[in-house]
Amino acid sequence: MSVNYSEETVRKAEQELARRRSIAESEQLEREERISRELPEAAELKRSLRNGYFELVKLIAAHEGDAKKAAERIRAKSISTQERLEQLLAEHTGDPHYLDVRYSCPACRDTGFVEGVRCNCMKDLLKRFAAEEMNENSAIALHDFSEYRPTYYPEGDIRRRMDGVCAYLRKYCADFPIGSCSLLFAGGTGLGKTFLSSCIARALGERGISAAFVSAFDMLRTLENEHFGRAQGNTMDQLLTVDMLIIDDLGSEPNSSVYETFLYNIINGRINRRLPTVISTNLEGEVLRSRYHDRLASRIMSEFRCIIFRGEDIRQIKALEKRR
Ligand SMILES: [Zn+2]
């Protein structure tokens, strides 16, 4: 699906591609300089290949009578020159393609397009920058797994369980997208659901994966504004295509059939695309079922792996620690 992105997002993606291109090309120049110094014969072969290419272009442009024969001669010569060059480079550097430009994406040579169509590398960049923009606009700062403190949970079973949850989520992020199921974080306020889900967004973002972290209410308000033409944007498509979507505090939004339709379209759409979603909510089991229509609730219940958070309100524990 072709998604429209903001000018800012497109600009960032183009800049990143230009950066990759210029690194690939300047590294190639460095290798060429080395070869000029150490292996003049190979440098000469490379030059003759380039001249052959220019001659070929000229011939094609000229449309002269015997152009075809001449072109074949140049081509045949190029092939043998190329072979000799690769042999020399392999002997000297161990790599027959030492003088090639090493693009990050050989498919599009870091231009972002293949035959006029957005290359996958460009799509990944657009998704990533769109997710970063959403995260920057979110009121909640993203945290790092290293900030996890076992002591925020009561000693014994609960702490052991939460240590296990944290370890599982670290591995979940390291292995992503292999075995990445959708997750439902359920449990009372202040038990670290938002904290741990924001750690997922950050850990994945640091790996260059597009991971958007949004508050349920803010997300739904934005969708509503765009849907009714009160705001410009294409948030729905972006939410449907980012590699990971984290919806914080589901259930905090006002009851509304419009909101519920948006939620269903997002959650169902991502399930159909096999893209994982993480939802955190204070609503557990039957409460979630009674809050939403069956089709939404059962989609969540059947497709999401539920992780129940237990303990005492960490915000209160932190406040007590500060007072000490
Ligand atoms: Zn590409």
Side-chain angles (χ1 to χ4, degrees):
M1 124 185 201
S2 173
V3 181
N4 287 320
Y5 291 94
S6 70
E7 276 174 31
E8 172 74 0
T9 305
V10 174
R11 195 183 53 78
K12 278 187 191 162
E14 285 170 350
Q15 262 178 359
E16 173 58 20
L17 285 169
R19 192 187 68 85
R20 290 178 183 177
R21 257 192 329 266
S22 106
I23 290 175
E25 283 158 10
S26 66
E27 284 176 354
Q28 194 271 345
L29 273 181
E30 278 170 28
R31 290 196 298 277
E32 205 163 293
E33 276 163 23
R34 178 188 156 194
I35 291 303
S36 294
R37 280 194 313 273
E38 298 175 9
L39 205 60
E41 190 192 345
E44 185 51 46
L45 290 172
K46 182 85 183 164
R47 257 192 302 279
S48 118
L49 273 176
R50 242 176 231 149
N51 290 341
Y53 172 74
F54 288 128
E55 270 181 58
L56 208 57
V57 171
K58 261 192 272 172
L59 274 174
I60 291 166
H63 289 297
E64 276 168 16
D66 59 348
K68 204 176 163 200
K69 263 193 184 158
E72 267 161 23
R73 221 174 30 245
I74 293 172
R75 247 187 231 120
K77 191 175 163 236
S78 293
I79 291 169
S80 67
T81 309
Q82 183 72 36
E83 279 168 359
R84 176 74 189 129
L85 173 64
E86 286 179 9
Q87 194 191 350
L88 278 175
L89 291 174
E91 282 164 9
H92 191 74
T93 69
D95 178 3
H97 303 289
Y98 186 76
L99 287 181
D100 292 1
V101 184
R102 291 172 193 159
Y103 291 107
S104 306
C105 177
C108 71
R109 300 161 72 89
D110 295 344
T111 60
F113 289 90
V114 178
E115 289 168 8
V117 179
R118 262 183 202 158
C119 182
N120 284 336
C121 71
M122 174 76 155
K123 286 184 190 166
D124 285 343
L125 284 174
L126 289 166
K127 283 192 287 184
R128 195 177 104 200
F129 290 126
E132 278 176 15
E133 260 165 64
M134 279 190 244
N135 298 346
E136 278 161 22
N137 293 333
S138 153
I140 304 155
L142 300 186
H143 291 277
D144 188 89
F145 281 117
S146 62
E147 297 166 55
Y148 171 81
R149 295 285 172 271
T151 48
Y152 287 147
Y153 295 95
E155 253 184 296
D157 284 350
I158 291 178
R159 184 178 297 175
R160 269 194 299 278
R161 225 188 85 71
M162 291 315 297
D163 287 353
V165 168
C166 184
Y168 165 77
L169 294 177
R170 277 174 178 257
K171 187 164 184 328
Y172 178 97
C173 292
D175 293 346
F176 192 94
I178 296 158
S180 306
C181 54
S182 288
L183 302 171
L184 179 71
F185 292 175
T189 308
L191 300 180
K193 299 189 300 294
T194 297
F195 167 77
L196 279 175
S197 53
S198 85
C199 292
I200 297 176
R202 177 145 160 198
L204 293 180
E206 282 170 358
R207 283 188 50 206
I209 294 162
S210 56
F213 180 92
V214 291
S215 108
F217 190 17
D218 288 347
M219 171 186 84
L220 292 165
R221 228 177 357 205
T222 304
L223 291 174
E224 184 185 26
N225 287 336
E226 289 177 7
H227 182 76
F228 292 107
R230 295 194 290 263
Q232 291 269 314
N234 203 1
T235 304
M236 179 57 100
D237 285 351
Q238 292 171 19
L239 295 170
L240 282 172
T241 47
V242 283
D243 297 320
M244 165 59 87
L245 173 64
I246 298 158
I247 303 174
D248 188 50
D249 213 3
L250 180 76
S252 63
E253 75 284 359
N255 259 317
S256 137
S257 62
V258 173
Y259 284 177
E260 196 161 333
T261 304
F262 289 147
L263 279 172
Y264 180 79
N265 290 345
I266 291 166
I267 289 165
N268 190 53
R270 290 185 59 83
I271 290 170
N272 292 342
R273 289 176 167 80
R274 300 184 192 286
L275 291 170
T277 308
V278 172
I279 295 177
S280 78
T281 181
N282 292 347
L283 315 171
E284 275 183 52
E286 285 314 304
V287 189
L288 186 85
R289 274 196 183 283
S290 61
R291 166 71 197 262
Y292 298 105
H293 281 111
D294 194 43
R295 65 169 190 164
L296 174 58
S298 49
R299 218 61 184 118
I300 296 175
M301 293 303 194
S302 63
E303 298 287 339
F304 283 60
R305 178 176 175 188
C306 186
I307 297 177
I308 303 284
F309 281 60
R310 292 278 178 264
E312 291 154 28
D313 193 334
I314 294 167
R315 288 165 227 188
Q316 286 177 15
I317 300 172
K318 277 189 182 168
L320 277 174
E321 277 181 354
K322 265 188 198 157
R323 252 179 270 158
R324 261 182 223 149

